[in-house]
Amino acid sequence: MEKAKSFNITKREVYEAYKVVKANKGSAGIDNISLEEFDKDLGNNLYKIWNRMVSGSYLPQPVKAVEIPKKSGGIRVLGIPTIADRVAQMVVRNSLEPHVEPYFLSDSYGYRPNKSAHDAIDITRQRCWKYNWVLEFDIKGLFDNINHQLLMKAVRRHTQNKWEVLYIKRWLTAAMVDKEGNVIPRTKGTPQGGVISPLLANIFLHYAFDTWITRKFPTNPWCRYADDGIIHCYSKSQAEHIYSCLTERMKECELEIHPDKTVIVYCKDSNRKENHKNIQFTFLGYSFRPRKAKARNRKSFTSFIPAISKDAKRHIRETIKSWYLLHQTEKSLQSLAEKYNSAIRGWLNYYGRYGKIELAKVLQHINLHLMWWVRRKFLKYKSKTKRSFLNLRYISNKYPDLFEHWKVGIVPK
C-alpha cells in the first residue's frame, strides 16, 4: 500500500510551475543542470519534485552566486537556484500569490500581475505636476537584509498551508556558493534571482512601508517599485520630516535607506519659481527633470517630465559598442538586423514611452556603427565617410522595416 502523502500538492501544479520556469529561461544552478538537460528526463524530474514536496522531504540545494554589473555601476550578486528548486518555488508562488495579492495596495507596482514599471512612471509623472516636492528613496540591499523572523510573521498572516511556510523557511536559509566554491550560510535576506523572492519582498514591504506610509501620512501619495520609491510632498520641510520618519521606520524593520540614492527634489517648471539644488531624480531608468515642452497653442514652456536617464543612455551605448559590428563584415545587413532587433525593440518599447527625442539621439549610435560597418565591408567606401553614410541612408529609405529603429524614423541623418 502506498504511503499517504503529507501535503496536498497535485502533479498538475508542478507541471504548470515548470511551464512558467521554462518560459522564463535562465541559466543552470549549482548542479550545472540546464533547462535542456532537465527536459531530457522531464517526467522523472518533475515526479521527484512532486513526490518530495508532498511528502515533506523536499530540501533545496544551495543557490549559485552570480555577479552581474549594474547599469549605474557596481556589481549586483544574484542567487540562482537550480532548475528543480525554481520549479518548486514556482509551485509555492502560484499557490500563495492569489491569496496575498488582494491585500497589496494599488501604489505597489513591482513584480505584480497586471502592473508594470510604465504604470509606476505614468502615475509619478502625473503627481509631479500636482505636488511641488518629491522624496525619492532607495532601500539599501533589500534582498540581502530582510529579517527572516519578521518576514515569516508576515507570511503566516496570509497562508494556512503548512507546506508553503515550511518550504519558504527552507529557501530562506539555503546556503549560497560563490564562484570560488565557498559555502556562505544565510541568516537574513532572500536571494535576488529566486523565483519566490520578489513576492516575499513585496509581502515584507507591504507591512514595513506600504501600510505604514498610508497610515502615517495619508495625504501624501506614494509609489513603490520593489526597493525604489517615490513620496510626493507639499513642501521641502515636509519632505525632510518624512525622510527622517522613513529612516527610523526602516531601522525598526532592520533595513536602511540608501543615503546616496535618496534625494529631496523640487519639481521645477514654468510655474514654480523657488530655487533648490536638486531639480531632478531618476526612477526606473527615467530621469524626471525640467524640460522644454509645447502647449496646444504651440507656445513653449518648461514642464517637469521624464525621459531616458543618463545611466540608461550609457548602458545602451556600451551595449551597441560591445556588438563589434566592425568585426562582422562577413555578415549581411539583414543578418545583423535579425541578430540585434530584439534588443533594439526592447529599448524602444521601454524607453520610448516618454522623451522619444532623447532616445532617438542614443539609437543614432546604431546608425553610426552601421556606417562604419559599410565603410569597412565595401572597399569603394574605404576612408570615404560621407559616401558610406549616404549609402546607408539610401538603404534605410529603400528598406525602412529592416531595423526596428528605422521603422520609427530613427534613420541616418
Side-chain angles (χ1 to χ4, degrees), residues 82-197:
T82 64
I83 303 299
D85 286 336
R86 296 214 287 273
V87 173
Q89 287 190 25
M90 188 63 71
V91 171
V92 175
R93 198 194 83 172
N94 288 347
S95 176
L96 177 59
E97 188 174 61
H99 297 288
V100 71
E101 177 64 27
Y103 291 91
F104 289 158
L105 304 186
S106 61
D107 280 317
S108 168
Y109 290 90
Y111 311 117
R112 293 183 60 189
N114 304 315
K115 283 182 176 286
S116 69
H118 279 159
D119 294 332
I121 293 163
D122 290 346
I123 194 66
T124 299
R125 171 175 168 266
Q126 296 172 33
R127 289 169 176 170
C128 283
W129 295 339
K130 299 177 182 178
Y131 295 83
N132 291 355
W133 295 85
V134 156
L135 170 59
E136 194 268 329
F137 68 91
D138 177 273
I139 300 172
K140 188 175 182 179
L142 170 66
F143 287 91
D144 296 329
N145 294 298
I146 289 178
N147 179 284
H148 287 175
Q149 287 71 36
L150 292 176
L151 173 58
M152 292 311 301
K153 180 181 178 181
V155 167
R156 290 188 182 95
R157 289 189 179 189
H158 297 281
T159 179
Q160 301 300 315
N161 283 340
K162 292 182 179 180
W163 57 272
E164 292 178 359
V165 174
L166 173 67
Y167 294 136
I168 289 173
K169 288 173 68 176
R170 289 180 181 176
W171 286 316
L172 290 176
T173 55
M176 180 177 286
V177 178
D178 65 19
K179 58 184 179 182
E180 283 80 28
N182 300 312
V183 178
I184 305 166
R186 294 191 10 256
T187 58
K188 61 180 180 178
T190 177
Q192 193 167 359
V195 169
I196 201 166
S197 293

Side-chain angles (χ1 to χ4, degrees), residues 100-349:
V100 71
E101 177 64 27
Y103 291 91
F104 289 158
L105 304 186
S106 61
D107 280 317
S108 168
Y109 290 90
Y111 311 117
R112 293 183 60 189
N114 304 315
K115 283 182 176 286
S116 69
H118 279 159
D119 294 332
I121 293 163
D122 290 346
I123 194 66
T124 299
R125 171 175 168 266
Q126 296 172 33
R127 289 169 176 170
C128 283
W129 295 339
K130 299 177 182 178
Y131 295 83
N132 291 355
W133 295 85
V134 156
L135 170 59
E136 194 268 329
F137 68 91
D138 177 273
I139 300 172
K140 188 175 182 179
L142 170 66
F143 287 91
D144 296 329
N145 294 298
I146 289 178
N147 179 284
H148 287 175
Q149 287 71 36
L150 292 176
L151 173 58
M152 292 311 301
K153 180 181 178 181
V155 167
R156 290 188 182 95
R157 289 189 179 189
H158 297 281
T159 179
Q160 301 300 315
N161 283 340
K162 292 182 179 180
W163 57 272
E164 292 178 359
V165 174
L166 173 67
Y167 294 136
I168 289 173
K169 288 173 68 176
R170 289 180 181 176
W171 286 316
L172 290 176
T173 55
M176 180 177 286
V177 178
D178 65 19
K179 58 184 179 182
E180 283 80 28
N182 300 312
V183 178
I184 305 166
R186 294 191 10 256
T187 58
K188 61 180 180 178
T190 177
Q192 193 167 359
V195 169
I196 201 166
S197 293
L199 177 61
L200 296 180
N202 269 338
I203 292 173
F204 190 89
L205 287 179
H206 172 72
Y207 295 101
F209 175 77
D210 300 356
T211 56
W212 172 83
I213 191 72
T214 303
R215 181 178 66 254
K216 185 82 173 177
F217 301 99
T219 62
N220 294 89
W222 57 274
C223 167
R224 182 179 64 78
Y225 195 99
D227 53 358
D228 292 330
I230 299 291
I231 304 172
H232 298 270
C233 307
Y234 296 97
S235 65
K236 180 184 177 182
S237 60
Q238 186 187 53
E240 291 170 340
H241 174 63
I242 294 177
Y243 188 1
S244 177
C245 293
L246 178 61
T247 300
E248 289 303 312
R249 172 59 179 174
M250 290 299 104
K251 285 182 181 178
E252 292 173 3
C253 301
E254 299 189 18
L255 294 175
E256 181 184 354
I257 294 297
H258 200 304
D260 300 327
K261 296 182 179 180
T262 299
V263 62
I264 293 172
V265 175
Y266 182 53
C267 304
K268 192 172 181 64
D269 60 21
S270 292
N271 298 319
R272 292 165 174 161
K273 307 302 181 183
E274 290 186 47
N275 292 316
H276 187 63
K277 63 178 180 179
N278 297 324
I279 56 172
Q280 65 175 0
F281 66 90
T282 298
F283 184 50
L284 301 177
Y286 275 81
S287 177
F288 289 72
R289 66 174 179 84
R291 301 178 191 274
K292 292 295 181 183
K294 283 191 176 181
R296 291 181 180 177
N297 60 9
R298 308 304 295 170
K299 286 187 177 182
S300 296
F301 69 101
T302 300
S303 183
F304 195 84
I305 50 179
I308 182 172
S309 69
K310 287 183 179 180
D311 285 340
K313 288 179 183 178
R314 184 178 67 249
H315 175 72
I316 290 175
R317 289 194 297 265
E318 289 174 351
T319 301
I320 295 168
K321 186 178 179 180
S322 73
W323 293 347
Y324 296 112
L325 296 183
L326 281 177
H327 300 284
Q328 300 189 60
T329 51
E330 78 286 355
K331 296 182 178 179
S332 66
L333 269 181
Q334 183 174 354
S335 64
L336 291 177
E338 291 172 353
K339 187 174 182 180
Y340 299 116
N341 266 343
S342 61
I344 299 170
R345 189 183 308 115
W347 293 330
L348 287 166
N349 289 342

Side-chain angles (χ1 to χ4, degrees), residues 22-127:
K22 184 175 176 62
N24 290 340
K25 301 180 180 179
S27 59
I30 197 68
D31 59 359
N32 293 318
I33 296 177
S34 65
L35 274 165
E36 291 74 17
E37 292 179 77
F38 189 87
D39 285 351
K40 290 178 182 178
D41 194 16
L42 181 61
N44 190 43
N45 286 331
L46 294 183
Y47 178 82
K48 286 179 181 178
I49 296 170
W50 171 78
N51 189 49
R52 290 169 183 172
M53 290 190 77
V54 296
S55 66
S57 64
Y58 164 75
L59 293 170
Q61 294 189 62
V63 295
K64 179 181 179 180
V66 176
E67 295 181 351
I68 62 168
K70 295 180 181 180
K71 290 182 182 179
S72 56
I75 297 294
R76 174 182 288 113
V77 179
L78 300 184
I80 307 299
T82 64
I83 303 299
D85 286 336
R86 296 214 287 273
V87 173
Q89 287 190 25
M90 188 63 71
V91 171
V92 175
R93 198 194 83 172
N94 288 347
S95 176
L96 177 59
E97 188 174 61
H99 297 288
V100 71
E101 177 64 27
Y103 291 91
F104 289 158
L105 304 186
S106 61
D107 280 317
S108 168
Y109 290 90
Y111 311 117
R112 293 183 60 189
N114 304 315
K115 283 182 176 286
S116 69
H118 279 159
D119 294 332
I121 293 163
D122 290 346
I123 194 66
T124 299
R125 171 175 168 266
Q126 296 172 33
R127 289 169 176 170

